[in-house]
Structures are given as structure tokens and as C-alpha cells.
Amino acid sequence: MNQRSPDAAGRDRPGPAAGPTGPAPAADGLLVPAETTLIRYLRQRTAEVDPTSEPVLDGWRYPSPFHLLLDVGRLFTPAPLPPGAGPLMVTFCYTNAAQTIEDQEDPALVYVEGYGSCTIDSAVHHAPHAWATGGTHAIDPTWPADSGCAYLGIPFADPEMWPHPLYGDGILRKHTTLLPILRDGLPADAVADIGRPLPHPIRPASTRRAESAGPLSPAPSV
């Protein structure tokens, strides 16, 4: 199992220690500023896809993981960890999320993977990330809940797809799992109906079958 984070490692964590409550959730489909910033970042990444770089991928459903997330991803609100959960070591977010689900023994918890953002020294950082959820809140054993975090990811309904709690890697990090999703998309029942859908106008126009594709390797997770 992943080693619990010692207090001395707090300097490596993105932001101060978690407080008693997380940021208030957005209401009526509105976005909090951190969510707006994260979505803007993902849209910028979709615009960077080079339409001439990978002609072999002509006809795939999604040109990049960023297009995928903006099409089927959900928003999740930061929340304090439940009793007995985390914090766990930074840079192991995929196994941290899977381990938290296993440790909690709560059948309602689901593994979520996508992108998160947090504030470090007043600067906003975006990275591939994973967390757990039981509905609309992000249960994140890797980042503290009060570091200005925002979460946009896919809640994967099938536990067989989740990473191993000890040595697993992200679903969207491995080409063996990512590429079939980009090629064919996800079946409707593969995405749990939880989290907050993105407001419709924010979804990218290029989520239909792409004419060509671009970069497929996301940045390292934290």
C-alpha cells in the first residue's frame, strides 16, 4: 500500500494542509473561477492539436485526451477527506485514488480520472490527476482540499478498469487503454452518472469524429 505522507513532506504538497471545509460547490450549473480556468486550459490544449501530425489516426472519435475530457468529463467539488483516508504520497495519484476506494470499503465510491488544478504560491498549476468520488465531491488523498483545486474527470463505472491500488497506472496514461477510447469513444455505461456535467456551450465543437489527430501523451501526473 502507498506510504502515508509524513508531516515533513508537507512542503511537497500543492498548497496548505486541508481545512475543515472545501470550497463551496457551484450552483445551478455555474462554475467557480478555478473550474473556469481549468476548462479554459483544456480548451487551449485542444487548439494546440496539429491536424497534420498523425494522419494514421484519421477518423478517430477524439483527436486527443483533452477533447475526450471536454466531451464526457464531469466536474467535482473539493471536499475534506473522510475519516481514515489519506493523505498519501504526491505523484501517486492513480494508485492513491484506487487505494482510498479499497480502504474505505464503500461500494458507492467510484474512481475518477482526468485533469485537476491547484494553486501553489499564488500560481495555478494544471496536471493529469485522479481521485475518488461518491457523487459530486472529489475525495482526493493526494492534494489538500483548500488549495484552490478544481477537478474535471471521467467517473469510470467499471472497477475492472480502475488501477491496481499498489502499482496501477492511469487509464488515460496507458496507450493500451487510452488509444481504444480515443478511437472508438466510451460506451454510455462506462461513465457513471455522477458529478456535474459541463455547461453545454463549453464543450468543444470538435468532439465528432476527427479528420486527423495530434499529440496523445499527456503531461506527467502529480
Side-chain angles (χ1 to χ4, degrees), residues 3-180:
Q3 183 179 0
R4 303 286 175 179
S5 296
D7 292 341
R11 58 184 175 84
D12 296 325
R13 292 177 60 78
T21 59
D28 299 327
L30 300 179
L31 303 174
V32 299
E35 293 170 343
T36 301
T37 301
L38 176 57
I39 291 171
R40 183 182 301 120
Y41 168 80
L42 294 175
R43 286 181 61 87
Q44 290 171 346
R45 296 304 301 267
T46 66
E48 294 170 1
V49 172
D50 182 353
T52 65
S53 63
E54 295 285 354
V56 70
L57 300 182
D58 181 30
W60 283 34
R61 177 69 181 273
Y62 298 104
S64 75
F66 310 106
H67 292 79
L68 167 70
L69 288 170
L70 288 173
D71 186 35
V72 301
R74 308 289 181 88
L75 294 164
F76 296 86
T77 302
L81 290 174
L88 298 173
M89 297 294 285
V90 177
T91 74
F92 296 98
C93 63
Y94 306 115
T95 53
N96 288 350
Q99 180 180 321
T100 296
I101 294 173
E102 182 177 270
D103 290 349
Q104 289 293 300
E105 299 181 344
D106 183 349
L109 292 182
V110 173
Y111 173 85
V112 189
E113 185 175 322
Y115 258 72
S117 68
C118 65
T119 300
I120 306 174
D121 296 330
S122 301
V124 178
H125 297 263
H126 311 289
H129 199 53
W131 56 95
T133 189
T136 61
H137 289 88
I139 300 173
D140 184 358
T142 308
W143 294 350
D146 63 346
S147 59
C149 293
Y151 298 89
L152 195 166
I154 301 171
F156 288 93
D158 183 3
E160 294 297 323
M161 297 183 68
W162 302 351
H164 189 279
L166 297 181
Y167 49 80
D169 200 358
I171 298 170
L172 305 181
R173 298 293 302 166
K174 297 183 297 183
H175 282 185
T176 54
T177 49
L178 171 63
L179 297 186

